[in-house]
Amino acid sequence: MSFRTNSSQQISFTDSFNGLTSREQKALENSWARTFAEDIFPSINKEPFRALYSGSASRPNTPVNICIGALIIKELFSLSDDEVVENLMLDPRYQYALHTTSFEEQPLSDKTLSRFRKRCYDYESAYGVDLLHGCMTDLGGKIAKMMDISPRIKRMDSMMIAANIRKLSRVELLYTCVAKLAIHFHKNGQDESIKGLEHYCDPNDYNKTFYHNPSSSTEEQLKTILEDADRLLSICGSDYDEVTEYQLLVRCLSEQTVVEGAVRRLRTKEDGGLHSGMLQSPSDPDATYRTKAGKEYQGYVANLEETVGSGGSVVTDYQYEQNNYSDSQFLKDSLERTPPQEETVTLVADGAYSGKENHDLASEKNIRLVNTDLSGKAVDDILADFEFNESGTKVLRCPAGHEPKSCGYTGGKSQQLHVSFTREQCAGCPNKDRCRAKLHKRVSSVTVSIKAHERAKQQRFMGTEEFRSLFRIRNGVETIPSMLRRLYRADTMPVRGLLRGRIQSKRL
């Protein structure tokens, strides 16, 4: 299928719009379709999607801006793919919004949208490039301009998104992986190879194993499941390395069990190797585990960046990852995507996005990072008054204005500086207790760090009226996760897997 641009951007003389009565035309122009047709649809950048199609002379594709526009409308009105296709054929508002009133036949079929999503999925799987992300963020920026929202104030937050899987115990997880591989043999007519394991192919076997047996038999069940798993591995040998069910069983056994003296048993904390990236369910191998605010989560996490102004707010960037991805890393990724800003941009986020490294990275892009909370222990306010050189490797003056006698920088993660003053300078200084100065025979010593200095400055800023104003702005971003869960059912997305979830998250 070859790529083509959409040439039907203007109303023609033979356009079906001209066949409407003046009353119908007026009603159409007063509807949502006009805003979409004039502001949203022309802003869809279709050129990056050229990579999805061949350059040869073959059947042309359905115009990309029509596909993306239809997907946006689909979510605006909570429609299915079939309903969008039907409405485009029968409703002039949809045709007007997508600039298809001049088409002899509407360009969407029952498979158009699913095939377009599949092309985007395959392209990202092969090349690691999310074309839809670029399109949506570009569109978000253009919408912000239309709404006259200044890009100088942004806010950021993340939200957990549950995977569409059932929570399994470790024994249930092992059973499920064994059962899936046994069913694979059965479906391929290899029942003779799994003689004695046929019960795994029975749909009622799961209930018989876990709900119809007394809890006292759990150890015996586990022993049997592990023995069956080893038997399946020996049957497979190296002939099933490309089979998904085999790969999942091998992964599950390597993560959940250890072999001691030719006997397989469950892995314990003492054995080590337990981590958040372990397989949660064979139905969604990408899902990860995380605890946050005392709650347990299985699935994914989305990071949302919103541009804020007096005229409203628009989500202008987002990211979707496994849920063991940290907020700090989300910020780093966002800053990496962001070009240097001509005017200073203020980004307001909570304490999970804090840290000197993040502040330095933001400063390089002319972005002022403001954290509404700080993780870790508070430091004494006096540390904000130490004066450092630009690189943060030398103290120039203490809060009392004294220049140090010598200064040594340790570097590493601590980035501490061991500073020496004359004994007289610190002995009579009212700040000596707050600076924790140590008096020696001839000198006094103070240990400080640029990290503590920056933290003290942030703590001081948090007491200002400007900070309180930014704090109120930051709170508004909390409404987005609530809206995505209530209106768009983010925690019950009908897909599984990281890449499919990313594509589905575009609709949120």
Side-chain angles (χ1 to χ4, degrees):
M1 184 173 288
S2 62
F3 180 81
R4 69 166 177 178
T5 58
N6 185 6
S7 59
S8 300
Q9 299 288 337
Q10 304 295 330
I11 294 177
S12 65
F13 289 109
T14 59
D15 206 287
S16 62
F17 178 80
N18 296 323
L20 301 176
T21 66
S22 58
R23 182 182 178 188
E24 290 170 336
Q25 290 181 1
K26 184 177 180 180
L28 183 57
E29 291 182 343
N30 288 333
S31 71
W32 60 268
R34 180 178 180 180
T35 300
F36 194 96
E38 294 182 355
D39 296 331
I40 307 300
F41 187 82
S43 299
I44 298 173
N45 183 11
K46 51 193 175 294
E47 278 304 313
F49 296 89
R50 185 183 293 271
L52 300 180
Y53 305 94
S54 69
S56 60
S58 58
R59 184 169 63 89
N61 67 299
T62 300
V64 169
N65 50 2
I66 292 179
C67 291
I68 294 176
L71 289 173
I72 295 173
I73 293 174
K74 171 182 181 291
E75 302 309 328
L76 285 175
F77 297 105
S78 300
L79 304 174
S80 66
D81 284 5
D82 289 340
E83 287 172 327
V84 171
V85 172
E86 183 179 307
N87 288 349
L88 184 60
M89 289 189 290
L90 303 176
D91 194 329
R93 292 174 299 178
Y94 285 73
Q95 298 172 16
Y96 190 81
L98 297 177
H99 291 218
T100 62
T101 52
S102 62
F103 282 51
E104 292 184 7
E105 185 175 353
Q106 294 305 308
L108 295 186
S109 69
D110 56 341
K111 297 292 185 181
T112 302
L113 298 180
S114 60
R115 286 171 179 162
F116 177 72
R117 286 190 292 259
K118 179 67 164 54
R119 284 179 181 272
C120 293
Y121 172 85
D122 290 341
Y123 188 81
E124 184 174 0
S125 298
Y127 302 105
V129 178
D130 187 352
L131 296 176
L132 285 171
H133 176 273
C135 179
M136 292 296 108
T137 53
D138 179 61
L139 192 57
K142 291 176 180 177
I143 291 174
K145 287 183 179 179
M146 294 174 198
M147 297 174 64
D148 198 25
I149 298 175
S150 171
R152 296 182 62 184
I153 298 181
K154 299 177 184 290
R155 54 194 181 193
M156 183 177 286
D157 196 19
S158 64
M159 62 177 290
M160 292 293 179
I161 296 180
N164 190 13
I165 56 176
R166 190 165 62 88
K167 186 176 181 180
L168 301 174
S169 67
R170 298 176 71 186
V171 179
E172 289 175 311
L173 178 61
L174 288 162
Y175 170 91
T176 305
C177 289
V178 170
K180 281 185 173 293
L181 184 54
I183 292 170
H184 172 80
F185 275 93
H186 174 68
K187 287 183 177 179
N188 287 276
Q190 296 174 289
D191 292 326
E192 200 58 38
S193 300
I194 57 169
K195 202 166 185 180
L197 304 178
E198 300 91 340
H199 63 92
Y200 284 106
C201 304
D202 181 359
N204 295 317
D205 187 62
Y206 180 90
N207 288 338
K208 291 177 183 178
T209 302
F210 293 103
Y211 301 132
H212 298 169
N213 287 324
S215 58
S216 58
S217 64
T218 301
E219 288 295 327
E220 189 63 33
Q221 291 170 359
L222 174 61
K223 181 181 177 182
T224 301
I225 292 169
L226 293 178
E227 289 174 352
D228 292 343
D230 284 329
R231 181 182 167 188
L232 283 173
L233 291 182
S234 64
I235 293 171
C236 292
S238 60
D239 298 331
Y240 288 78
D241 290 348
E242 302 302 319
V243 176
T244 301
E245 290 81 359
Y246 172 78
Q247 294 171 350
L248 290 171
L249 178 59
V250 170
R251 176 184 170 186
C252 183
L253 290 174
S254 66
E255 293 176 345
Q256 297 287 349
T257 67
V258 293
V259 178
E260 281 185 347
V263 178
R264 191 179 294 276
R265 63 170 176 81
L266 279 183
R267 185 184 296 273
T268 64
K269 289 183 178 180
E270 288 72 22
D271 297 316
L274 300 176
H275 55 87
S276 62
M278 296 170 68
L279 181 68
Q280 303 297 307
S281 170
S283 299
D284 192 346
D286 295 331
T288 51
Y289 173 84
R290 182 175 177 180
T291 57
K292 186 176 182 180
K295 295 183 180 180
E296 298 179 349
Y297 297 91
Q298 288 179 305
Y300 304 91
V301 60
N303 191 65
L304 306 163
E305 183 179 297
E306 193 177 22
T307 301
V308 189
S310 57
S313 61
V314 176
V315 175
T316 48
D317 197 6
Y318 65 92
Q319 193 171 342
Y320 185 86
E321 303 289 347
Q322 294 170 313
N323 71 7
N324 54 7
Y325 212 80
S326 70
D327 288 352
S328 179
Q329 188 59 51
F330 274 128
L331 177 61
K332 290 181 175 68
D333 293 347
S334 175
L335 293 173
E336 186 178 346
R337 293 192 297 269
T338 304
Q341 304 296 296
E342 294 183 3
E343 294 185 78
T344 302
V345 172
T346 299
L347 175 60
V348 191
D350 62 28
Y353 298 87
S354 64
K356 183 180 183 303
E357 183 181 1
N358 290 344
H359 279 266
D360 290 344
L361 291 172
S363 181
E364 291 175 4
K365 298 295 181 74
N366 197 19
I367 296 174
R368 178 193 181 201
L369 176 61
V370 176
N371 299 110
T372 57
D373 191 15
L374 298 174
S375 56
K377 295 181 179 179
V379 298
D380 197 301
D381 181 71
I382 195 69
L383 295 177
D385 295 324
F386 277 86
E387 185 179 338
F388 290 76
N389 63 358
E390 290 185 4
S391 61
T393 58
K394 184 177 181 181
V395 172
L396 302 179
R397 289 177 182 81
C398 74
H402 300 304
E403 293 184 11
K405 186 177 180 181
S406 64
C407 180
Y409 178 65
T410 59
K413 290 185 178 180
S414 64
Q415 297 182 346
Q416 288 186 335
L417 296 97
H418 302 286
V419 191
S420 294
F421 298 88
T422 63
R423 177 183 173 87
E424 293 74 20
Q425 286 175 326
C426 290
C429 180
N431 298 324
K432 67 179 180 182
D433 292 333
R434 296 176 64 189
C435 293
R436 298 185 179 181
K438 296 180 181 179
L439 301 179
H440 306 287
K441 187 175 182 179
R442 296 180 180 177
V443 299
S444 59
S445 61
V446 176
T447 300
V448 296
S449 71
I450 188 66
K451 288 183 178 180
H453 169 70
E454 294 293 340
R455 185 182 182 87
K457 287 169 63 178
Q458 291 179 55
Q459 289 176 182
R460 183 175 292 181
F461 173 67
M462 291 170 72
T464 65
E465 184 58 38
E466 181 187 3
F467 172 81
R468 285 188 281 271
S469 175
L470 292 172
F471 185 89
R472 289 190 289 269
I473 290 175
R474 157 64 184 65
N475 287 343
V477 78
E478 299 285 357
T479 62
I480 298 179
S482 175
M483 180 183 66
L484 294 180
R485 289 191 170 96
R486 289 184 294 104
L487 300 181
Y488 296 96
R489 302 177 295 280
D491 287 323
T492 55
M493 291 195 296
V495 295
R496 291 169 179 161
L498 178 61
L499 293 188
R500 287 187 175 88
R502 278 183 185 159
I503 292 174
Q504 187 73 9
S505 68
K506 311 298 185 293
R507 64 183 280 272
L508 304 180

